[in-house]
Amino acid sequence: MATTILSAERDPMGAAISDYFNHRKADRLRVFSSQFEEDVIPVKELFRNIQSMPVLERTALQMATGRILDVGAGSGCHALALQEMGKEVCAIDISPLSVEVMKQRGVNDVRLTNLFDGTFTETFDSVLMLMNGSGIIGKLSNMPDFFRRMKCILRPGGCIWMDSSDLRYLFEEEDGSIVIDLAGDYYGEIDFQMQYKDVKGEPFDWLYVDFQTLSLYAAECGFKAELVKEGKHYDYLAKLSLA
Ligand code: SAH
């Protein structure tokens, strides 16, 4: 797995987060993909508070216990909510701009760190991966590396709280049947590239995974997956713990 950190010139989401934090407004954060039409991420939503979070995220925040690692923490919305709840949280992100914003917003423990960087040797009781948190895994073939890394990070009895979506609805025909090319790549493997103003990021892989596929990989890697809650639109929250 790549263990890199972003540079400010190649960090559109960090630039958007920084702009919104400093000026209370932001331009469009544009998202490109070879598989979809151009889309935008409303930057304001990256600053959501606990009341405006989807129920899957609120559930994860409530259930996380002990020392918590917020992976890919962005603007720090979950870390700040956890602090307000009196919980102990460490936020990590590969975006120097986002890390700076988190420090200024009052996240107590923030690190500019890639989840897959083995020199980060701290351990946690709960690992939070939210806003399609499975995305950071990138591709299904990275699942074994991901679970190996989790075995180093998790304390005994610890677990991962991860949300994701089953993208099968994108392949649904009008009659409700689903046409998926089983010989092709897994349908949840998406390539994205983002742009904010003139800051364009590198393309990256982002994984959406259905619960059954997640469970199969988890079991192969010595983990147990539980379906904690389902959302309104093919999304769900999973709890992953050592079997
Ligand atoms: N969790 C936040 C942000 C989600 S966007 C929220 O729910 O609002 C995904 C974030 O993950 C981005 O800030 C990105 O910089 C970060 N990220 C991507 N790959 C990462 C990795 N390997 N390690 C740590 N952070 C990562």
Side-chain angles (χ1 to χ4, degrees), residues 5-68:
I5 295 298
L6 300 175
S7 70
E9 306 76 59
R10 291 298 220 157
D11 179 13
M13 185 183 266
I17 285 177
S18 184
D19 239 12
Y20 190 84
F21 176 67
N22 288 303
H23 308 291
R24 289 285 144 231
K25 62 178 171 42
D27 247 355
R28 290 183 324 140
L29 177 57
R30 301 165 69 188
V31 183
F32 309 96
S33 167
S34 69
Q35 292 126 306
F36 302 116
E37 300 281 298
E38 183 179 334
D39 202 356
V40 290
I41 297 179
V43 181
K44 191 170 180 250
E45 283 180 16
L46 298 173
F47 285 80
R48 60 202 178 281
N49 58 24
I50 192 147
Q51 291 81 13
S52 51
M53 282 174 194
V55 65
L56 298 182
E57 294 185 3
R58 274 185 277 140
T59 305
L61 296 181
Q62 274 150 16
M63 295 184 91
T65 52
R67 187 167 186 235
I68 304 165

